Amino acid sequence: MEIVSESQLLVAGRLDRLPIVSFHRRIMFTMAVAFFFEFGDINTFSFAAPAVMNTWGLSISTVSIIMSATFIGMFVGAVTGGFLADNIGRRRGLILTTVWYSGFSLLNIFVWNSFGLFLMRLLTGMGLSAMTVIAITYISEMFPMARRGAYQGWILTLGLLGIPVTGYVARLVVPLASWGWRLVFAWGALGLLIPLFVRQLEESPRWYASRGRLQDADEVLKRMEDQVIAETGSLSPVPPVRQLEERAGRSAEMLQRPYLLRTLMLTSVWIFQTLGFYGFMSWVPLLLVVQGASLVTSLSWSSAMHLGAVPGAILGALLSDRWQRKWWVCLVALAVAACGLVYGITSRSLMYGVTSHRLTVSMISRTEVVVAFGFLTAMLIQTFAPLLYTYTAECYPTRMRSSGAGLAYGTGRLANVAGPLLIAYLFNHEGYGSVFVYIAACWVVVALIVGLAGPRTRGLVLE
């Protein structure tokens, strides 16, 4: 039996019975802005990489090493950010991490060589992943049980606009001059404005309760309940509270029974999800250029494909709370694998025709197929994201939720240090198509792991 204090269950009951009102919507829009710049910043180097490679005369192997730097930083940031939020609070953690990643993104503008870019991407990555871990924890704790999956999806729907917008910003500024790629990082640094909005949010009452600060939790809940009464006129009764023994929480519990299996399952899922996710999202623009497409064509195609992010997140929001999330995770992962593999096959044959100067009407038609399957792959990847974000946070109790999510998320990012190197090896030795076979295999493994070892979480009290 899970050992949880009566006070924590009471806080959970008071939160879960609340309808969606203006303070929830304020959280939604603030977190959406945070994710907008976070997603944009993660992808800045992907869009800038072709121009950096041409300007500095870098090899694809060197570019892959720079990409790996981001993921080294993301591992460190996710693990330390998770522990940080479990100790100093969700809101303060969000402020610190957004200032960190935006500040170092700004410094990316002034790098002088490949080593400098490696270092700045590493430090930027630390803040990016720390912010993500804290944000998904905060969202899961502040929204009621019946709607937490949906609102994770709606927040990502708005936030994911940062990917195509960043793509079109890159399309606008990169061709301006040999240094135009530097302006892409200036765009990512606009996240420095986010703390101004985060400061207006409430701290998580669940976190207060888990730290024994029951008066602080009660004060936040009263403000939330007063706003519900002002907007709706009434409050639903608090669900019955079970009397259970209280236990102090330790983050080390995630490596002990009964959480060890969940930790192993989640870290494995995040490893293969990250390899598959960034294998597609980060490498499509660069591989198109290497295959013979122009820089403008590469940015145009990839930007069009990334427009699928927004409808994908909308789909995730609509589906998330309607069925067990573990089964949605499995089905969507398999769909990503299928669409990504078709994209790789069709784009390979099309680029062969382009580089051979044999562009025909049938190839123009095939271009539409390539972009369509690229769009579907990018769309389904972002359908998957809110599902996994919500599912990960649900697998741990409040006392170690951020730490557990940080370890799983960060381990996936660390594993992807080898991802760019593996893709460079496959491309150089096995060819373009092998990259997409590898990406599809990663998504299939995700589905198998969750299907075989993942717990059911829909409708469960987070405590």
Side-chain angles (χ1 to χ4, degrees):
M1 177 184 293
E2 178 66 32
I3 303 176
V4 183
S5 71
E6 177 180 354
S7 57
Q8 284 181 261
L9 289 172
L10 179 60
V11 168
R14 289 171 70 180
L15 279 168
D16 286 338
R17 54 95 181 246
L18 299 180
I20 300 298
V21 292
S22 58
F23 68 78
H24 290 111
R25 290 187 285 272
R26 185 163 60 250
I27 293 171
M28 181 182 74
F29 286 111
T30 301
M31 291 294 95
V33 172
F35 274 114
F36 179 94
F37 287 106
E38 190 261 354
F39 282 125
D41 204 311
I42 286 176
N43 287 276
T44 50
F45 185 67
S46 299
F47 291 114
V52 175
M53 187 173 66
N54 291 337
T55 302
W56 286 354
L58 303 180
S59 68
I60 194 169
S61 297
T62 301
V63 172
S64 70
I65 291 172
I66 296 173
M67 284 187 176
S68 296
T70 301
F71 297 101
I72 297 172
M74 291 181 88
F75 166 71
V76 176
V79 175
T80 57
F83 284 106
L84 179 75
D86 279 341
N87 285 279
I88 71 169
R90 316 314 193 197
R91 187 180 67 169
R92 290 168 67 187
L94 283 168
I95 292 172
L96 289 174
T97 54
T98 50
V99 169
W100 179 284
Y101 87 71
S102 301
F104 279 107
S105 183
L106 185 64
L107 293 179
N108 277 250
I109 299 172
F110 306 105
V111 293
W112 57 95
N113 56 26
S114 58
F115 175 76
L117 191 54
F118 177 94
L119 181 61
M120 288 302 106
R121 293 314 297 166
L122 186 150
L123 293 169
T124 304
M126 288 175 61
L128 290 169
S129 61
M131 175 265 161
T132 299
V133 168
I134 299 170
I136 63 178
T137 300
Y138 183 73
I139 293 164
S140 293
E141 291 180 355
M142 294 300 287
F143 284 86
M145 175 199 308
R147 306 300 301 278
R148 62 187 178 229
Y151 273 85
Q152 184 79 70
W154 292 124
I155 288 167
L156 291 188
T157 296
L158 299 173
L160 285 166
L161 287 168
I163 298 176
V165 170
T166 300
Y168 283 108
V169 168
R171 171 68 178 82
L172 177 66
V173 302
V174 170
L176 292 178
S178 60
W179 47 265
W181 57 269
R182 297 178 184 272
L183 299 178
V184 181
F185 296 115
W187 166 257
L190 291 177
L192 284 168
L193 300 174
I194 296 168
L196 300 176
F197 302 97
V198 173
R199 291 180 62 185
Q200 302 175 27
L201 301 182
E202 297 282 5
E203 179 56 85
S204 166
R206 297 180 196 267
W207 179 78
Y208 276 140
S210 73
R211 305 293 292 183
R213 297 171 59 177
L214 301 181
Q215 183 176 350
D216 290 326
D218 183 63
E219 290 174 358
V220 172
L221 284 166
K222 282 182 177 178
R223 287 194 290 271
M224 296 169 74
E225 291 165 344
D226 288 345
Q227 193 164 354
V228 169
I229 293 172
E231 294 183 26
T232 68
S234 63
L235 274 174
S236 301
V238 180
V241 177
R242 297 173 294 158
Q243 179 66 46
L244 296 173
E245 179 184 352
E246 185 170 7
R247 178 176 70 186
R250 296 183 299 117
S251 296
E253 286 183 73
M254 61 185 155
L255 300 177
Q256 303 167 0
R257 294 184 177 181
Y259 296 107
L260 178 59
L261 180 60
R262 292 190 182 188
T263 299
L264 292 174
M265 181 273 298
L266 286 171
T267 52
S268 300
V269 167
W270 276 101
I271 285 171
F272 287 100
Q273 181 267 352
T274 304
L275 292 172
F277 182 104
Y278 287 101
F280 185 85
M281 302 296 281
S282 296
W283 282 86
V284 163
L286 186 58
L287 290 179
L288 287 172
V289 170
V290 175
Q291 281 291 99
S294 69
L295 179 60
V296 172
T297 298
S298 169
L299 289 171
S300 298
W301 282 20
S302 57
S303 297
M305 284 185 258
H306 289 332
L307 289 174
V310 173
I314 291 174
L315 184 60
L318 295 174
L319 297 178
S320 186
D321 291 321
R322 297 181 181 274
W323 195 31
Q324 280 293 342
R325 260 179 284 280
K326 71 170 285 182
W327 299 124
W328 281 128
V329 167
C330 296
L331 289 175
V332 175
L334 292 174
V336 172
C339 291
L341 190 58
V342 173
Y343 168 85
I345 294 170
T346 53
S347 61
R348 177 187 181 186
S349 60
L350 177 63
M351 291 314 301
Y352 172 77
V354 172
T355 55
S356 300
H357 306 288
R358 296 189 295 108
L359 188 63
T360 65
V361 173
S362 64
M363 288 180 179
I364 295 172
S365 177
R366 201 178 305 160
T367 300
E368 297 174 357
V369 174
V370 170
V371 174
F373 274 96
F375 179 94
L376 285 173
T377 305
M379 183 187 81
L380 290 168
I381 283 174
Q382 302 305 347
T383 299
F384 183 88
L387 296 173
L388 185 59
Y389 282 4
T390 306
Y391 187 70
T392 300
E394 289 173 330
C395 285
Y396 294 105
T398 300
R399 62 182 178 270
M400 57 177 169
R401 179 168 298 119
S402 189
S403 297
L407 178 64
Y409 182 93
T411 302
R413 268 46 186 173
L414 181 63
N416 203 49
V417 171
L421 303 176
L422 180 55
I423 286 180
Y425 175 85
L426 288 172
F427 179 81
N428 290 327
H429 293 83
E430 303 297 332
Y432 183 82
S434 67
V435 172
F436 294 93
V437 172
Y438 152 77
I439 291 170
C442 289
W443 287 100
V444 171
V445 171
V446 167
L448 290 174
I449 292 171
V450 176
L452 294 173
R456 300 186 179 199
T457 60
R458 179 175 176 265
L460 296 182
V461 176
L462 281 182
E463 310 313 317

